Every structure is written in C-alpha cells, then in structure tokens.
Amino acid sequence: MGPGPINADPRVLRAMSAQLVGQYDPAMTAYMNETMALYREVFQTRNEQTLLIDGTSRAGIEAAIVSLVAPGDRVLVPVFGRFGHLLREIAERAGAEVHVIEREWGTVFTDAEIEAAIVETRPKLLAVVHGDTSTTVAQPLEGLGAICDKHGVLFYTDVTASLGGNAFATDALGLDAVTAGLQKCLGGPSGSAPATFSAKAVDVINGRKSIEAGIAGSDAEIATTRIRSNYFDLAMIFDYWGEKRLNHHTEATTMLYGARECARLLVEEGLDAAVERHRLHGAAMLAGVQGLGLEVFGDLAVKMNNVVAVRIPDAVNGDAVRGELLEDFGIEIGTSFGPLHGKVWRIGTMGYNARKDAVLTTLASLEQVLRRHGAAVVGGGGVGAAYDVYEDAK
Amino acid sequence: MGPGPINADPRVLRAMSAQLVGQYDPAMTAYMNETMALYREVFQTRNEQTLLIDGTSRAGIEAAIVSLVAPGDRVLVPVFGRFGHLLREIAERAGAEVHVIEREWGTVFTDAEIEAAIVETRPKLLAVVHGDTSTTVAQPLEGLGAICDKHGVLFYTDVTASLGGNAFATDALGLDAVTAGLQKCLGGPSGSAPATFSAKAVDVINGRKSIEAGIAGSDAEIATTRIRSNYFDLAMIFDYWGEKRLNHHTEATTMLYGARECARLLVEEGLDAAVERHRLHGAAMLAGVQGLGLEVFGDLAVKMNNVVAVRIPDAVNGDAVRGELLEDFGIEIGTSFGPLHGKVWRIGTMGYNARKDAVLTTLASLEQVLRRHGAAVVGGGGVGAAYDVYEDAK
C-alpha cells in the first residue's frame, strides 16, 4: 500500500510467465502493434508513435528529453516535488539550458505563473511532471496546451504516478510527449515505460536523425544536434516499432507481455471506470486516515486519487511504525523524500491495490500499530469513515 | 533455435510470475544482494560492483561506456562484426574520440594487432565484443588483459552472446568492465543487463561523481566530465545497489526475479558443466548441418559453442525456408546483418535450447524443408552426424 511499486495484478504476473517468441516472429510483431494500439487508448491519443521504452519510467523520461532536446536548447521545468528535480537534472545532463520555477511542495502552479515563465525564458520545451508522488499532488494541465501552442513550445509531461487513476487525455491536453511506467495505477512491475509522441515531436526527433545522416554541414553542427544516446534514440526506436522494423535493441519480450496485459486490463475495465475506482478507494483512504485523527499533507484540491500523504504524529517514530506494519501485518506504506522526509507517510490505493479490502485492512492495521506506539487515535474511526464513503457511493 | 532471444527456461518464466515486493522491503534488498553474489559467480569475479542495469543488453553497454568515457577520451574498438560497430557508435555518441580497427567478418584479431593499435592510438579504454553473434566467432581475450595493464588502458568487453556457453572469467582475464544480457545462453528474456566493474573502473566512475559534487573548478570542466546520462550513471547505480541504498530508478522487480533465476540455474548446474553442455550441443548442430551437406561460415577455430552460421544454398530462397520452418514446424532460425545479409542463416543452441531433442528436431525439420525447396541434401545426414557426436561423448 505504498506509493508504488505496488502489488501487480495477478493477470499481469501470469502474462509475464508466457514463453518467449523471436523478435521478428509475426506473433511478436503483432503483439508490438497490438501494444501500440492499446496504449493509444490508455493515453487517449491518435499518435502513431505510441510505444514502449525498455527500462523503468525514468528511462522513458530520459528518452523523451534526450531525443527532443539538443545541447543548448532551452527547457523550462516547473518544480513542485522530487520528480520535477529529476526532469531538470536529466535535461541538464542532455546539455540543455534549463530554467526552473519552484513552488512549495504540496502546491501546484497557476497557468499564469507558467505562462509568465515561458514568456521570460522562451523555451523549446516545457517539461512538467503531472502527478508528483513525492507530494501526492498533480499539476493541472488543462490550460497549458493552449499556452504552449501560442508560444511555439513543445509540451511534455510524465504521468508515471497518475496514469490510469486520474483523468488524462494526451490529445485533448495538446501534449507533444508523454511518458509513463507500469508500477503505479497500471498494476504492473517497473521496467517498461509506455510513451507517446505527437507528429510535431516526431518531426523534431526525426529531424535530428536526418542531420546525423550527413545533410548538415559541419562536424560541429552534427556533434551538437545528434541525439547523444543510442539506447534512447527515439528516431531509431520509431523505426524499430514501425513498418521498417529496423533492428535496434532486442525488445524485452516479458516486459512487453506485462505492459500489454496492464493496458488490456485498463481498456477492458474502461478508463473512466478505472479513474472512478481510484477516486472511490482514494476517497475512502483519505477519509479513513482523517477519521483516525491524522492530518494529511498537501493541497487536497489537487491531490491525486491514488496516494495520500499523512503527517506522522509527533508521538511516534515513523520508521518504527512502517517497520511494524510491514513485518507484523504484511502491509507496506511509504516514507518520503527531501523536505518531507521523516514528516509524512505516503499511502497508496492504486492499480490492483485500489480495492475495498486493501483499504479496510490497511486502516484497521494502522490503527492497531499507532495504538501500540502510544499515538492518540479514534478507535474504529478510520474503518468507519471509509465505510461511510463506500456507503455514500452506493 | 535462432541466435537469441531464445526460449526461456520454464523455471525463469515461473520466477517472473512471482508477486512484487516494495523496493526497500528487506526481502527485495536481500534479493538484490543475492543477485549480486550470484553474478559474481557467473562472471567469475570478486568485484563488489556486480549488478543489473535495467534495460536490454544494449543498455548495459551504454551504461558502461557513458560512465567510463568522458567527451574527448580516446576509445579503441576492434570491429569484427555488427556489435563492434555498435560499441563504436555508442562511444561516439558519448563524445569519445573513437579509433577503430577492422577485420573481415568471421575472423578475429591477433593480440599483436590489438597491441599495435593501442600503442598507436593510446586509448583510455579498449572496448571489444567477446562473441559477436552476427558472425558467430569470439575474439580471444586471454592475452589482452596483460596488454591493457602494460599500457594503462581500461579493458571492457560485452559478453551478451557468449556468457554461460563459453569459457569466461572476468578476473582471470584482467577485465575492468563486463556487460551481458539474459537472452542468450542464460536462458532468460531480454530486458536486464548483468554487469561487473573492477575497483579501477569504479574509481574512474566515482571520480566523475566527485567532480559533479563541486570539487572541480570551472563550469566547463564540470560539463565535460559529468556523466551525460542520469539513467546510466553508474556512480548513482552503485549507490542504489550498495549499502547507501540511495534512491535512483525503481528496480525492475520482475526482471530481477528473472535475472536471479537465470544465475541460480547456471550456478546450480555449474559453470563448467554449462559450457560443456553448450560445447556438446553446438558440436552436434555443427556436425549436423555439415552432415546435411551445407557449408558453414566463419573461422571454426574461434566459433562460439552456441551458434553456427550456415551458408544459404544457391538453390533456395533463404527467407522462404526460414518462414516455412517457423510456420509449419514451429522452429525459428535467424537471418543475419550487413555483409552476411541473405547469405547465411544463424542457428543457435543456447540456454534452454541447448538440448538434444532441440538439435535433432531442428536438423530433421531443416532437411525436410530444404528437400521441398529443391536443395541437394544428404538424406538422414544431419541427424546421423549429430547422433555420432552424442555417441562419441558417451
């Protein structure tokens, strides 16, 4: 019941025990095409270039940034939690001139704040995390597509923490690049990064391939614009997933089976139904921890459905409580990073763990552990408040 | 029965259907430590830094090169097949000054040729593929460690194609960096790259971390020496796998389960026994295709145990034969790349497919398909020659 990775859906685990097939076996290339189509539904996009990056969600982020951004390009990163810092760092290592605006953890930016920074820094790319699990809040994206369009800025977001559990639609939001991971609301393991790229983003990326092929003049120009990574060279990855089937890496077959099953589960359930499920169980968990008498952290108006940050009561040792929950009750909850380290626990209700029994056993167990550690808790208050949410939803 | 990826061992597939645990769950960190110890045995090394890179074998190569090599560093790459070109390309993208020596595909370098190139180019790093599946031959490494030591050169090899099926010992060969993959003789899926680094390599890599932390003077110096990738920053990955457990990526749990099981299988069988198994079945397949009257490609004195390249008879269409074998007999064999494209098939006997029944059914089926395509074959000659090899081994 942490902020991810979480228990995988048993159907995903079974899919990952299927025997391998060769990478150019028609069965395998059909699976690849099917996976692209499934993730177009998951991402709510018509983007042709919708595929998997073979690595953890961080690999998807680096592939997007290193392929879109050449050394010296300006990138604007609004930072409101740990993963904004990660986007900044990856863009810096890609040689970008990175501009950062920061907000206190637990809050998000207004559109006006981001537009003002765009006007001031004139970036090629706006790179913003959607949901930052470190703080549990999600940056509203609704107004940013039009702003990026108006100023000629590429618009990229990472939705690893939010996808599948919170409303999201790539094309409607005007996004040019989106990356994700399986280990949160998608109910799979870390190790595959679904991603999608607009035609505009594809043109930028493929333009860097053309230059590599010798169209540009000087060596210096080639050295500047060539994509700095082979593994993350999306132009090559597009050609591997596309009709050309040009050999690049050897597709991670088992991870593809897992990613495909995650998407099948979500599409079968229906994206709206999955978001509603996360909303319901997230609301029950939020009401439950509040019902126990605990305080929550962050702006609840923009809290993700799938995770809640709970202030650790002064009376208890946060790590001792987490350890006892894990060791004696078999329930894991998360710690946090940076300014929140030692101050909050993070409790997830996502993917396969967005279930009534998971919510109620967690609240029941947390009450008992807190009690044994001498914290003041409202007896039955957590489970009772969660039950109330479930009753109201009937 | 292609050159990899191949059928995974059923034990590996079952291991990959195990439920996930959190990334800092003591069970998970214990699995990580156990995986490091297992791969020390597989790599035959005492290197502390023996771990997994989360991505395909190409990710391991890029992590090694981008972490060891700063822009402007000289790298020597002996190229004798497709994967030598890959090492060169990855080093170029890392900003290295890359020097290449080339040999005809199917042959390997003498120690003297490599030493002469080292003397001439004075590289920081010698990067050489061990077994290049594109040509089926393996570069002998026995003399190169001493040469690198004499000239103060870091010595790196990729053993994706050879590890587990051919004699190999990291420390005895004097290697500073070794990378691999699961999808060949280790009997697992692509998607995890085991790797090991000597104390000398670790010093070089961690030295680049120190500079990042602000010890060096100018921004230009930092920009030059800082590792260009976050995802492949081995200094950070060492700290994630080490006692510090500093959060980097979210470990790809299912791939770790698979990589761990691959190593357990190999260590249980015994590395020498596994190499002998690959030698035996590789010899049977080689004798078998020759017994059918087919010609093989490449210097047999340095052929890997686990793959053979067979010249496509003039009378037949190579892709049609491969297609019929796959579609009607359920047996996949490989095509090849570059100068060998359309000229040879590659047939593997590796990992779970290094078995007598797999060898005999492949030879029996290949005979029938060749016959139907009008090629001259020795009836029963393939299976008969393979049986002779098995009889001799008794």
Side-chain angles (χ1 to χ4, degrees), chain B residues 69-104:
Chain B
V69 174
D73 282 345
R74 280 188 301 275
V75 176
L76 174 64
V77 184
V79 174
F80 58 100
R82 177 189 172 208
F83 291 96
H85 285 293
L86 178 64
L87 298 192
R88 177 186 63 175
E89 209 220 272
I90 290 175
E92 282 174 0
R93 298 219 200 188
E97 178 188 320
V98 183
H99 296 269
V100 165
I101 52 176
E102 286 198 63
R103 291 276 321 209
E104 196 188 345

Side-chain angles (χ1 to χ4, degrees), chain A residues 83 143 255:
Chain A
F83 291 97
M255 285 310 308

Side-chain angles (χ1 to χ4, degrees), chain B residues 325-368:
Chain B
L325 260 179
L326 178 62
E327 210 165 308
D328 296 341
F329 294 77
I331 295 172
E332 184 182 45
I333 65 171
T335 177
S336 197
F337 301 105
L340 297 180
H341 184 71
K343 294 189 180 153
V344 306
W345 295 306
R346 291 177 302 150
I347 305 179
T349 42
M350 55 182 90
Y352 185 63
N353 290 354
R355 299 193 321 267
K356 188 175 181 180
D357 63 303
V359 170
L360 295 180
T361 50
T362 300
L363 290 167
S365 305
L366 181 61
E367 178 185 328
Q368 297 304 321

Side-chain angles (χ1 to χ4, degrees), chain B residues 39 43 52 103 109 138 153 166 195 211 239 253 276 292 294 298 387 392:
Chain B
Y39 277 96
F43 281 123
L52 307 177
R103 291 276 321 209
F109 295 88
V153 174
N166 303 270
I211 287 165
D239 283 343
T253 317
E276 172 53 25
L292 281 172
L294 299 169
Y387 261 122
D392 286 351

